[in-house]
Amino acid sequence: GQQLNQSPQSMFIQEGEDVSMNCTSSSIFNTWLWYKQDPGEGPVLLIALYKAGELTSNGRLTAQFGITRKDSFLNISASIPSDVGIYFCAGQLGAGGTSYGKLTFGQGTILTVHP
Amino acid sequence: DGGITQSPKYLFRKEGQNVTLSCEQNLNHDAMYWYRQDPGQGLRLIYYSQIVNDFQKGDIAEGYSVSREKKESFPLTVTSAQKNPTAFYLCASRVTGRSTDTQYFGPGTRLTVL
């Protein structure tokens, strides 16, 4: 089945630094989603991407849908302590057809921000 | 408030017992999903339902069962046949539109088998 490779697995950074993480897939997706999860909580949607090449920002977060449809990256600028958590990418074939909305998740990137 | 609720937050079960996890949404979403999360791993799909009275197996359905009698509710039963049920369980619902197709998650239920 489809697999997503998310990297890095973990990051330890100083407050104020920028962060970059990415996901690559063996298959194409029509939708890329980025979530953040705090310990013991459900994932919260950060950014959704629907078109190849699309670049979308949400505050200090920027994400891009790769041209090949097989990758996506997330950047966080000027990190702050509350950015701590686990970040997941997820790919979806999209509505219609046989996709039924199934999300394929990366393994997650654990972000630690030192004040 | 609109959203997805899951209960209980923590659940303890003895081996050999069935247990049911609740998921309710008041977002009027048609499709709902159950995922399992293990430490250090991404989420894996257990079951999904695209409409009331219909549901399909996901990637890891063995040892689980669901029902979808109401649009708002999608309970998950973890049966004694599930070999390793201790995990964090997440329910989600899907919103689709002309320019959107995303899933929103509930707060999760942590199940521990004693």
Side-chain angles (χ1 to χ4, degrees):
Chain A
Q2 294 173 323
Q3 292 187 345
L4 288 185
N5 183 28
Q6 184 171 350
S7 64
Q9 288 187 333
S10 61
M11 302 182 73
F12 298 85
I13 63 170
Q14 292 292 129
E15 183 177 358
E17 290 183 358
D18 296 343
V19 172
S20 183
M21 59 191 79
N22 69 83
C23 277
T24 58
S25 170
S26 57
S27 305
I28 65 170
F29 289 110
N30 291 328
T31 299
W32 282 95
L33 306 173
W34 283 93
Y35 290 88
K36 182 193 177 203
Q37 185 178 30
D38 292 327
E41 301 294 330
V44 174
L45 182 67
L46 299 174
I47 292 179
L49 303 160
Y50 301 108
K51 291 174 60 176
E54 179 181 358
L55 185 71
T56 298
S57 294
N58 178 9
R60 294 178 297 105
L61 278 61
T62 302
Q64 184 159 28
F65 192 143
I67 293 291
T68 65
R69 295 180 177 269
K70 292 184 177 182
D71 62 339
S72 178
F73 72 75
L74 175 71
N75 286 343
I76 306 173
S77 63
S79 59
I80 59 178
S82 63
D83 290 335
V84 165
I86 305 175
Y87 291 79
F88 288 100
C89 62
Q92 180 176 281
L93 287 174
T98 59
S99 69
Y100 56 84
K102 176 184 176 179
L103 292 179
T104 301
F105 283 83
Q107 307 96 317
T109 295
I110 302 172
L111 178 63
T112 303
V113 180
H114 294 287
Chain B
D1 279 1
I4 304 171
T5 58
Q6 292 185 241
S7 62
K9 182 70 173 174
Y10 300 96
L11 191 55
F12 297 89
R13 189 195 90 176
K14 293 183 180 179
E15 281 193 30
Q17 289 181 338
N18 292 354
V19 64
T20 298
L21 282 59
S22 169
C23 178
E24 304 278 332
Q25 55 102 358
N26 59 4
L27 301 167
N28 200 36
H29 292 167
D30 286 316
M32 297 184 72
Y33 306 80
W34 274 104
Y35 292 89
R36 171 186 171 131
Q37 185 177 30
D38 294 286
Q41 296 188 33
L43 284 65
R44 293 181 291 167
L45 182 65
I46 304 172
Y47 265 98
Y48 66 98
S49 169
Q50 297 189 87
I51 200 166
V52 173
N53 292 323
D54 182 67
F55 49 84
Q56 303 295 330
K57 294 181 179 180
D59 297 323
I60 55 166
E62 185 176 352
Y64 300 98
S65 66
V66 294
S67 63
R68 187 85 186 277
E69 297 176 1
K70 298 186 300 181
K71 188 175 188 177
E72 302 80 17
S73 178
F74 190 38
L76 173 74
T77 297
V78 184
T79 75
S80 58
Q82 168 50 231
K83 295 286 189 283
N84 184 22
T86 295
F88 191 47
Y89 290 88
L90 289 158
C91 177
S93 67
R94 180 187 186 191
V95 57
T96 59
R98 189 174 177 183
S99 58
T100 188
D101 187 349
T102 56
Q103 290 185 26
Y104 294 93
F105 286 84
T109 292
R110 184 166 299 282
L111 173 63
T112 302
V113 174
L114 305 173

